């Protein structure tokens, strides 16, 4: 399901610029839980054959750490890598200033992030990790469903509802809400939180978000999350002839970033 059939033109497709770049937005949250989920999702995506890049909207570009802004200004060139990225090596670019620049360039209903496709076409997936207000400014006109992580504190449901409301009102998209648990003892509480959140969203926003309870210690659950996000991702395609052609993603052609983790 993740690959196309072989035929006489396969070798030619391999020489063409990659035309499909899948966009997965992930809402940044305080603490380490967001980064932990982000790391595991990217590892599973790469294991499935989808070379992934993270645009980190929580970090600003600098002289010492150039990122998306320099890529947009064509002062940063990403060279192809001769060998495959390791499965546990995730490519990361600081992106806060570059995302602000993209938002200022947006015209009409076209997603600002379409500009990323020609710059990052050697990757199969770009994960946009940013605070909710920044995500909302980028996703106007998008069809992607952002990942929203529900906390385990007393205000988790209220915070989650406010995040979903901002995404819907400002960007017109509904998020995918995930509540991570550790062990079966937390599952009942997590399911109750999601039921309350979905009821509030249905009543006040007119939409019900996708919701999942996942065990953070179970690799199968994290792989399920990666597949769910891939299914809900938006594909940023090049215009013209190449947009209609199938893509073949090869980890060996992935482009290394200025930093990787």
């Amino acid at each position: 399901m993740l690959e196309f059939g072989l035929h006489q033109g396969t070798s030619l497709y391999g020489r063409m610029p990659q035309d499909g770049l899948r966009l997965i937005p992930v809402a940044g949250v305080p603490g380490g839980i967001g980064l932990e989920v982000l790391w595991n999702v990217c590892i599973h995506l790469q294991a499935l054959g989808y070379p992934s890049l993270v645009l980190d909207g929580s970090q600003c570009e600098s002289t010492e750490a150039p990122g998306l802004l320099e890529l947009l200004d064509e002062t940063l060139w990403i060279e192809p890598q001769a060998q495959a990225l390791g499965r546990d090596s995730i490519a990361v670019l600081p992106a806060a200033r570059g995302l602000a620049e993209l938002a200022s360039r947006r015209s009409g209903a076209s997603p600002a992030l379409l500009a990323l496709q020609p710059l990052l076409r050697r990757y199969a997936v770009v994960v946009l990790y940013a605070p909710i207000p920044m995500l909302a400014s980028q996703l106007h006109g998008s069809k992607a469903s952002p990942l929203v992580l529900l906390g385990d504190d007393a205000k988790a449901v209220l915070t989650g509802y406010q995040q979903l409301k901002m995404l819907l009102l400002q960007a017109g998209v509904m998020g995918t809400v995930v509540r991570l648990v550790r062990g079966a003892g937390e599952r009942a509480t997590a399911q109750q939180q999601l039921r309350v959140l979905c009821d509030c969203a249905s009543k006040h926003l007119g939409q019900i978000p996708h919701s999942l309870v996942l065990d953070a210690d179970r690799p199968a659950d994290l792989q399920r999350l990666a597949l769910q996000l891939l299914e809900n991702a938006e594909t940023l395609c090049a215009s013209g002839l190449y947009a209609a052609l199938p893509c073949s993603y090869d980890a060996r052609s992935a482009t290394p970033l200025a930093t990787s983790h």
Side-chain angles (χ1 to χ4, degrees):
M1 196 166 76
L2 300 178
E3 56 189 19
F4 60 93
L6 298 177
H7 54 77
Q8 268 187 319
T10 301
S11 61
L12 294 177
Y13 289 147
R15 295 176 180 273
M16 291 180 179
Q18 303 291 2
D19 60 297
L21 180 67
R22 300 208 188 189
L23 170 67
I24 297 178
V26 177
V29 293
I33 184 172
L35 293 176
E36 178 185 350
V37 172
L38 181 66
W39 178 272
N40 282 294
V41 164
C42 288
I43 287 176
H44 282 289
L45 287 172
Q46 292 194 158
L48 291 169
Y50 289 84
S52 303
L53 163 128
V54 177
L55 293 179
D56 188 355
S58 67
Q59 298 295 322
C60 285
E61 301 88 327
S62 65
T63 303
E64 296 76 19
L68 179 59
L69 183 64
E70 289 74 18
L71 198 61
L72 293 171
D73 292 340
E74 299 182 354
T75 57
L76 175 65
W77 176 253
I78 304 176
E79 292 290 343
Q81 178 172 309
Q83 298 179 351
L85 285 173
R87 179 175 294 185
D88 296 336
S89 179
I90 308 301
V92 181
L93 271 185
R97 296 170 62 196
L99 290 172
E101 173 66 18
L102 275 180
S104 71
R105 294 182 186 181
R106 179 172 59 84
S107 60
S110 298
L113 294 170
L114 283 175
L116 295 176
Q117 193 280 331
L119 300 174
L120 303 175
R121 62 174 179 254
R122 290 183 178 276
Y123 284 90
V125 174
V126 57
V127 178
L128 175 57
Y129 179 78
I132 284 286
M134 186 178 291
L135 279 186
S137 71
Q138 295 295 327
L139 296 178
H140 182 80
S142 173
K143 297 178 182 178
S145 179
L147 172 63
V148 176
L149 292 172
L150 194 66
D152 58 1
D153 57 276
K155 296 182 178 180
V157 173
L158 177 60
T159 301
Y161 171 78
Q162 291 172 337
Q163 292 176 324
L164 293 175
K165 182 178 179 179
M166 180 177 292
L167 286 170
L168 187 61
L169 295 183
Q170 296 189 19
V173 296
M174 177 55 71
T176 296
V177 184
V178 169
R179 172 68 158 83
L180 289 180
V181 299
R182 282 192 157 87
E186 298 180 24
R187 188 168 291 270
T189 300
Q191 290 173 335
Q192 175 63 20
Q193 285 181 314
L194 287 177
R195 278 195 294 269
V196 173
L197 178 59
C198 288
D199 287 345
C200 288
S202 176
K203 180 179 179 179
H204 300 292
L205 302 178
Q207 293 192 34
I208 301 176
H210 296 291
S211 61
L212 293 169
V213 176
L214 301 176
D215 192 323
D217 296 326
R218 290 189 61 198
D221 274 15
L222 295 173
Q223 185 179 52
R224 177 187 172 199
L225 174 60
L227 290 171
Q228 178 80 48
L229 293 175
L230 199 61
E231 181 180 351
N232 294 334
E234 180 175 13
T235 302
L236 307 177
C237 286
S239 59
L241 172 65
Y242 296 131
L245 296 174
C247 295
S248 173
Y249 294 111
D250 185 346
R252 290 174 298 178
S253 66
T255 307
L257 270 290
T259 58
S260 63
H261 301 284

